[in-house]
Every structure is written in structure tokens, then in C-alpha cells.
Amino acid sequence: MDLETLKKTVAEGLEEAGAAQTADAVEAVRITYLGRKGLMPQVMKELKTVAPEEKAEVGRLANTFKKELAELLESRREELSGDGKGAAESATFDYTLPGRGPRRGTRHPISAVIEEAVAIFGRMGFTVAEGPDVETPYHNFEALNTPGYHPSMDRQDTFWLDDGKLLRTQTSPVQIRVMESRTPPVRIVTPGRCYRRDTTDATHSANFHQIEGLYVDSQVSLADLKGTLAYFAHEMMGPDVAVRFRPHFFPFTEPSVECDFSCHVCSGSGCRVCKGSGWIEIAGAGMVDPRVFEKVGYDPETTTGYAFGMGIERIAMIRYGIPDIRLLYENDMRFLRQF
Ligand code: DAH
């Protein structure tokens, strides 16, 4: 193509692109000029047959045209893709309307509960410690006095990895890691992800969060534990929430308790969320078993401590009235914007 013809082609191409009124028309222009079998690839291919004095100019013009046309087509495509910003609408653009500012994000309810829990325990002198999601069976079970025949070690409940490690089923192994690396007194909370082979339903998820607490010193009592969890309950749920402790069993605490909060939704009179009982199970807790102290090299004769672990999702659900745990993971903006 000689320079004269190319100049005409360029003018036509730009005009056709500007005039295209539908996405299909835009695409047709693109195919004609820029497509694999279109005019411009052909011009480039035939460049060697162009008269020597025009060759450089033809090459340069073809290249700028390709770029310009591609940009023009792109902006036409954007203008035409709905959004009320088509050529016709932009002529009647109402500049008196208030602008659309960027939307602020909101904190995820799980993050909000973790941050608040850490702040509440922080006021009682707890600092944050963290541990790995991929754990050794030693830290997740054995050092926590959980023997191999315990149901939680079952293939069905735990995600085992090929190298013999596992995805931690609880935040309790962080207790072990902290005690292995520090001497008493220890006062920590550890928020984090946990993993279990649970079938997902309204209240279960294979991936969930816990916050663990550990206080070790020389004269720690069950009364200290009760006071700590009661303070937490009132700070987190409000002054009217009642707290109760029931005897329970955990391999790593003796004695062990479960801690319930009165149902935040029905104030204890019984509803769907608390399954009619008026109470919601929030935490497992107890006095650290002397065998755990032995494992980490603390003297069980002189060391005392309490530990507790609770589900973050459970707290978020009753605090915000979230009826289904899956809502917390779907990242549906209509849900997230409410917080
Ligand atoms: N790790 C336990 C669970 O996931 C919860 C728990 C119970 C944690 C008692 C503790 C504790 O620290 O002392 O069910």
C-alpha cells in the first residue's frame, strides 16, 4: 500500500471507529483493520514492496494508526457498555448531581471480634502470641496429653498432610510453643485459624477461628479463670449476659469446665439460636494438667495455670445475630457492608 492510500485508509478507519454505535460494530471495525487477516497486518507484510523513499513513512504511520485505533476502539467499547455513559447520555450529563465517592471498606465480623477480644484480654495483661497453622502431631496432640487413640486424632477429624504434619485442629498447640520458649509467668492469648474435617452446615465449617488463652504463674486458681471469663463476657456481650460453668473433660486440663453465656438473642428465655436452652456454649477451659507442664519442662509441683479456648465464629454469630456460619466466608458485599 502506498503512502497516499494508507493515509486515506487511516482516515476512514478512525471515522468508522468514531461512528460505531454498537459493540458489534466496534468489533467489526477492529477485525477489518487490526484483525489477523485485516488491513494493517497486510500493510506490514507488504512493506518490502513499498517504494524505498516511502517505506519509512508508511511503516511509521501504520504503527501510530494501529495504536491510535486500538485506543479509540477501546474507549468506544467502554462508552457503549451500558452504565448510562453512552454517547447519547454523556450529552445530557447532569453536573449538578452529587459525585460518587469511593466506598469505604468495613471490618469483617471475624476480624472485629478478634480485635475486640485481644483488646479486652489486653486490659487484663494478656499479650498476643501466634503459632503456625501447619503443626506437628506432637504440639497439636501429644504434648497436650492427647493420646493416639483419642477420637480427635482420627483421620476423619483431622487434615493430615503427606509429611506427617497436620493442619492444627485447635489453637491449643500455641500454648505448648509459648511454654517451650518462655519461663513463667506467662499470660497470652492466641487468635488464629483452625481446621477440622467437618461437613459444612449452618454452624460448622472445616476452617474456623479460635482464640486461646493461657495464664501460668505460681498461684493461679479456678476462681481466677472464672473471673477472667466473666469479665470477658461482660465486655464482649454487655453487662446483662450471665455466665455459667459446667464440669467437662479435656485431656490437657484438670479440672476442666465448659463455659456458657446466656443467649444474647433471647436473653435466656430460649430461642432457635440457643436451641431453646437459653445458654450458648462459648469456651472450653480448665486448670493446666500437670502432665502438660512436664512436657514443656515446667515444674508441676510449683507451677499452676489456667487455659481456655473459644470459637470466634460462635461469638460473632450471637453478637451480630448472624444465623448461618457460611455467611462469614462467602464475601457477599450485601452482607459485609452491614458491619
Ligand atoms: N482446644 C479445645 C477445643 O478446641 C478448647 C479448649 C478447652 C481450649 C480447654 C483450652 C482448654 O485451652 O483449656 O475444643
Side-chain angles (χ1 to χ4, degrees):
M1 191 181 284
D2 61 29
L3 189 55
E4 216 39 48
T5 324
L6 179 60
K7 281 183 178 162
K8 247 174 61 200
T9 308
V10 166
E12 281 165 11
L14 294 175
E15 192 184 323
E16 282 170 36
Q21 289 305 327
T22 63
D24 285 349
V26 170
E27 179 61 7
V29 176
R30 191 192 65 78
I31 290 168
T32 308
Y33 291 90
L34 305 177
R36 211 149 37 83
K37 298 195 177 124
L39 283 168
M40 284 307 110
Q42 203 183 322
V43 169
M44 296 318 249
K45 226 186 314 165
E46 291 168 1
L47 201 57
K48 49 184 175 303
T49 64
V50 173
E53 66 278 14
E54 284 189 353
K55 201 180 269 180
E57 180 67 24
V58 167
R60 211 160 39 81
L61 180 59
N63 274 327
T64 34
F65 169 63
K66 279 199 300 192
K67 215 170 130 235
E68 206 177 329
L69 184 65
E71 281 167 13
L72 181 58
L73 290 172
E74 186 49 42
S75 65
R76 283 303 289 152
R77 206 173 289 128
E78 267 168 29
E79 285 170 36
L80 292 168
S81 66
D83 229 5
K85 286 189 286 182
E89 275 89 345
S90 60
T92 58
F93 173 70
D94 182 353
Y95 45 80
T96 63
L97 286 172
R100 265 182 249 160
R103 278 225 196 189
R104 273 256 206 120
T106 55
R107 199 169 265 120
H108 194 280
I110 289 179
S111 306
V113 168
I114 289 177
E115 279 171 31
E116 181 140 358
V118 164
I120 294 168
F121 286 115
R123 294 200 280 281
M124 291 186 277
F126 289 80
T127 54
V128 173
E130 284 182 331
D133 290 20
V134 174
E135 262 299 1
T136 64
Y138 176 79
H139 289 91
N140 198 82
F141 295 122
E142 200 185 324
L144 288 162
N145 201 31
T146 310
Y149 52 78
H150 195 273
S152 62
M153 274 194 83
D154 201 302
R155 302 242 139 223
Q156 296 207 313
D157 291 324
T158 303
F159 287 108
W160 288 87
L161 306 178
D162 290 342
D163 61 2
K165 291 190 174 173
L166 49 82
L167 297 178
R168 67 178 177 196
T169 61
Q170 48 190 354
T171 42
S172 305
V174 187
Q175 289 184 30
I176 303 299
R177 290 186 177 274
V178 169
M179 288 191 282
E180 279 172 345
S181 62
R182 298 184 202 175
T183 51
V186 167
R187 199 181 336 213
I188 51 112
V189 283
T190 79
R193 278 176 198 277
C194 303
Y195 307 81
R196 282 182 206 173
R197 278 183 179 275
D198 267 332
T199 308
T200 303
D201 63 22
T203 53
H204 293 86
S205 162
N207 172 209
F208 57 99
H209 298 72
Q210 288 186 340
I211 185 163
E212 189 89 8
L214 174 71
Y215 176 35
V216 178
D217 206 335
S218 56
Q219 288 185 18
V220 182
S221 72
L222 193 65
D224 295 327
L225 169 65
K226 290 172 103 172
T228 303
L229 290 180
Y231 176 78
F232 172 76
H234 295 138
E235 291 294 295
M236 187 58 119
M237 294 295 168
D240 298 331
V241 72
V243 184
R244 78 172 181 190
F245 294 83
R246 287 177 288 110
H248 200 75
F249 173 79
F250 294 103
F252 36 91
T253 42
E254 181 57 35
S256 302
V257 293
E258 265 190 334
C259 174
D260 302 336
F261 291 0
S262 59
C263 180
H264 186 65
V265 179
C266 63
S267 307
S269 61
C271 68
R272 215 164 51 96
V273 175
C274 58
K275 302 197 178 80
S277 75
W279 294 94
I280 294 176
E281 185 191 310
I282 294 288
M287 301 307 293
V288 179
D289 194 298
R291 290 201 213 171
V292 174
F293 286 143
E294 275 170 22
K295 292 273 187 198
V296 298
Y298 285 5
D299 179 358
E301 294 300 325
T302 56
T303 318
T304 51
Y306 65 66
F308 57 84
M310 47 196 155
I312 299 287
E313 279 79 355
R314 184 67 71 84
I315 297 173
M317 288 169 76
I318 57 173
R319 188 173 155 157
Y320 299 114
I322 299 166
D324 191 314
I325 198 168
R326 288 166 286 203
L327 287 164
L328 292 166
Y329 307 113
E330 283 165 354
N331 282 337
D332 185 330
M333 296 300 279
R334 291 167 300 181
F335 171 76
L336 294 176
R337 283 205 180 112
Q338 296 176 47
F339 301 97

